[in-house]
Amino acid sequence: MYVLVLLGRSRCEFPWRAGLPHSFGLDSYFFTAHSFFAMSPWKVSEEYLTSNAGVDVGITQRVIGFDVLLIVGFFPCTAVLLTAAFSKRVVRSPQWFVFMAFGSWWSIQHLLLLGNQLTSRAPPHALCLIQSALIYAAPPATALSLLALFLQILLRLVECLENKSGVESLFSPALVATPIVVYAGVIILALSIGIINPEQVARDPQRVTCYHTGRTTMFVAAGIVTVICGGIMIIEGFILTKLWRNYNHIRTLNVASNAKKISFSIAIRAMIFSILPLLALIVSIVSMVMSSKDQSPTNPVANTILASLPLAASVAFGTQRDIVDTWAFWKRPSSTLLSDSQKSPNGEV
């Protein structure tokens, strides 16, 4: 990680660079790298953490931890998404794909400031403007995609248990499009405010992302998220009630080869996973409200939870048996591969 930061930052102000020419060419890279690796591990940590003039050592450590969590979470989350997309063994609903796509994109948009987080100079205004817009749009869109996933599960239960065919397919396009439309709408709003009021776009005091010092975008995003949080809890209650009351009937339906599958695993995993983003969203709302009082818009707890969401999503939805079996292809006999085409086209929720 230190090497990435070393090579990614321009004109690094490390103590051992004293006397180097202002033009930091390839020979200087080799010299700096040699000096870097020649130092003891604790000396590297000490020199690196104190090399950013005016930046608290604790903030520097938290920024590194924030970035590492996002990077570590991006790869398994993307791997799960691509596995479901290209494997015939794994069948998922469109709402599931939208949710996992937002999970992978979550890491990218939160890492846009990478290389400009700990610099003494302000990050490029255009970059900060774009990231702040994405950051404000991410919680409402991600929460909506999770709500859409729960609604899809509920509609599947209603269709199968109450013989109301076509209910799920009727609402499916809206459930897929709504998070994307809201995401685009909040981005446009944030960009408009940032362009009209460029002085409101800045790097937050925790130095992890950019934000708006104004209140409009904050209140819009917080309001949408608050409504969605309430909706998720209500839908979860309906789903749990139907699963509990119709457990045996659902198991019978899942045995039928021509019936739509109702996955207990995805429903329960989604409910367990929802605890983390709901907590993160609540903490984020509190943090955004604090920012309206001239306090830090983010805090270490919120940043840690938010940075761990992609990793949590990959663990929650990437450890299901069909996905694990797809990855462990060397353990499957060739006859198992032939059963893919025999799988129900309706698949799981």
Side-chain angles (χ1 to χ4, degrees), residues 166-202:
V167 174
E168 180 184 353
S169 58
L170 177 64
F171 290 97
S172 183
L175 295 178
V176 171
T178 301
I180 300 174
V181 172
V182 171
Y183 183 68
V186 177
I187 288 177
I188 294 173
L189 174 65
L191 286 176
S192 302
I193 294 175
I195 292 173
I196 296 174
N197 305 284
E199 70 281 356
Q200 294 186 5
V201 180

Side-chain angles (χ1 to χ4, degrees), residues 74-233:
F74 169 75
F75 291 102
C77 190
T78 304
V80 172
L81 178 63
L82 294 178
T83 300
F86 292 103
S87 174
K88 295 181 180 180
R89 294 178 55 84
V90 182
V91 181
R92 295 293 185 270
S93 66
Q95 292 76 21
W96 184 93
F97 280 102
V98 172
F99 173 74
M100 292 301 296
F102 272 117
S104 294
W105 181 238
W106 182 278
S107 291
I108 296 176
Q109 58 194 359
H110 280 80
L111 286 170
L112 287 180
L113 209 61
L114 188 66
N116 291 281
Q117 295 165 306
L118 299 174
T119 55
S120 57
R121 65 185 183 280
H125 179 76
L127 176 63
C128 215
L129 173 66
I130 293 173
Q131 193 198 41
S132 62
L134 296 176
I135 293 300
Y136 280 111
T142 305
L144 262 176
S145 65
L146 182 60
L147 176 61
L149 179 60
F150 281 123
L151 284 172
Q152 190 267 335
I153 294 174
L154 181 61
L155 291 174
R156 175 70 62 87
L157 286 169
V158 170
E159 183 172 327
C160 294
L161 298 177
E162 301 179 13
N163 295 322
K164 295 182 178 180
S165 60
V167 174
E168 180 184 353
S169 58
L170 177 64
F171 290 97
S172 183
L175 295 178
V176 171
T178 301
I180 300 174
V181 172
V182 171
Y183 183 68
V186 177
I187 288 177
I188 294 173
L189 174 65
L191 286 176
S192 302
I193 294 175
I195 292 173
I196 296 174
N197 305 284
E199 70 281 356
Q200 294 186 5
V201 180
R203 181 174 55 192
D204 74 81
Q206 293 295 322
R207 291 179 172 266
V208 291
T209 58
C210 290
Y211 78 114
H212 288 181
T213 58
R215 302 183 181 185
T216 303
T217 313
M218 174 194 68
F219 285 141
V220 170
I224 296 175
V225 168
T226 301
V227 174
I228 296 172
C229 287
I232 288 177
M233 289 186 289

Side-chain angles (χ1 to χ4, degrees), residues 155-312:
L155 291 174
R156 175 70 62 87
L157 286 169
V158 170
E159 183 172 327
C160 294
L161 298 177
E162 301 179 13
N163 295 322
K164 295 182 178 180
S165 60
V167 174
E168 180 184 353
S169 58
L170 177 64
F171 290 97
S172 183
L175 295 178
V176 171
T178 301
I180 300 174
V181 172
V182 171
Y183 183 68
V186 177
I187 288 177
I188 294 173
L189 174 65
L191 286 176
S192 302
I193 294 175
I195 292 173
I196 296 174
N197 305 284
E199 70 281 356
Q200 294 186 5
V201 180
R203 181 174 55 192
D204 74 81
Q206 293 295 322
R207 291 179 172 266
V208 291
T209 58
C210 290
Y211 78 114
H212 288 181
T213 58
R215 302 183 181 185
T216 303
T217 313
M218 174 194 68
F219 285 141
V220 170
I224 296 175
V225 168
T226 301
V227 174
I228 296 172
C229 287
I232 288 177
M233 289 186 289
I234 293 173
I235 298 301
E236 283 182 341
F238 282 118
I239 292 175
L240 281 175
T241 302
K242 288 188 174 294
L243 290 177
W244 177 263
R245 293 179 177 178
N246 302 277
Y247 178 78
N248 292 329
H249 187 196
I250 293 174
R251 287 179 61 90
T252 302
L253 290 174
N254 285 341
V255 172
S257 59
N258 60 343
K260 287 188 175 181
K261 308 297 181 183
I262 300 175
S263 174
F264 287 99
S265 176
I266 290 182
I268 300 303
R269 287 167 185 263
M271 291 179 188
I272 295 175
F273 172 80
S274 67
I275 297 174
L276 187 60
L278 286 175
L279 178 61
L281 294 172
I282 292 173
V283 175
S284 298
I285 292 174
V286 174
S287 300
M288 287 189 292
V289 171
M290 289 174 60
S291 69
S292 66
K293 301 177 181 180
D294 297 327
Q295 300 182 30
S296 174
T298 58
N299 60 65
V301 176
N303 289 337
T304 302
I305 297 175
L306 293 173
S308 63
L309 288 180
L311 182 60

